[in-house]
Amino acid sequence: MQTPAEKKVTTMSSHGYHSDPYATSGGGQYDPYAVQSDPYAADPYAAQAGYSAPQHYPAGGGYVQPPPTNTMALLSLIMSLVGIATGGMTSILGIIFGHIGRKQIKRTGEGGDQMALWGLIVGYVVLGLWILFWIVYILIIVGMFGLAIWGSQATTY
């Protein structure tokens, strides 16, 4: 004979009797808050392996902060690039800032020498292209007026 705790609990539904899925067949009521032990889990109270005494590292291996970037070098690159859109006008400032920045970097040891160099290169190239553009533009305008004048002076017999 089974004790009341060992009997499966059955309930009545519209389809008839069915077993309670949470009832146990040999061990009392189901407790949803009961902690189930995992047979494969590690013992939480076992000594923790892998920890050792703190290690001491030799001096001199710390973080070295890089020198600050020269502001003139940054402005040189920015002004030279903006010169593409401004007809080369700010490229002149980029070239000036680039020369000043490289001189300051050599004197103070700041960072940004490559940035100043690229500001100079881009500034000279952009300024040269804009000067070439304006020379060609003026030659085309002068040529058109020259052709118009030459064409109006031609006589027909």
Side-chain angles (χ1 to χ4, degrees):
M1 172 147 185
Q2 292 182 341
T3 63
E6 294 177 344
K7 291 184 179 178
K8 281 194 168 186
V9 178
T10 56
T11 58
M12 180 72 163
S13 71
S14 61
H15 301 293
Y17 291 99
H18 67 275
S19 298
D20 185 3
Y22 297 113
T24 57
S25 64
Q29 295 290 329
Y30 172 75
D31 185 10
Y33 300 107
V35 177
Q36 303 292 327
S37 63
D38 185 6
Y40 301 108
D43 183 12
Y45 300 107
Q48 298 291 326
Y51 293 107
S52 62
Q55 297 194 9
H56 299 283
Y57 296 100
Y63 175 73
V64 178
Q65 186 173 1
T69 303
N70 186 284
T71 306
M72 289 291 178
L74 181 63
L75 287 173
S76 168
L77 186 59
I78 291 171
M79 291 297 170
S80 295
L81 290 172
V82 171
I84 296 170
T86 61
M89 299 310 275
T90 58
S91 294
I92 298 169
L93 290 174
I95 293 168
I96 294 169
F97 289 157
H99 285 293
I100 293 172
R102 290 199 75 189
K103 191 177 291 186
Q104 287 178 354
I105 289 167
K106 286 180 186 173
R107 189 181 75 237
T108 63
E110 291 178 310
D113 187 49
Q114 292 293 317
M115 194 180 304
L117 179 64
W118 276 105
L120 284 170
I121 292 170
V122 171
Y124 278 122
V125 168
V126 168
L127 185 62
L129 289 175
W130 275 108
I131 289 173
L132 183 67
F133 168 79
W134 286 112
I135 288 173
V136 169
Y137 182 76
I138 290 170
L139 288 176
I140 289 173
I141 298 296
V142 168
M144 287 174 44
F145 280 121
L147 285 175
I149 291 172
W150 181 68
S152 68
Q153 291 178 356
T155 58
T156 55
Y157 293 103

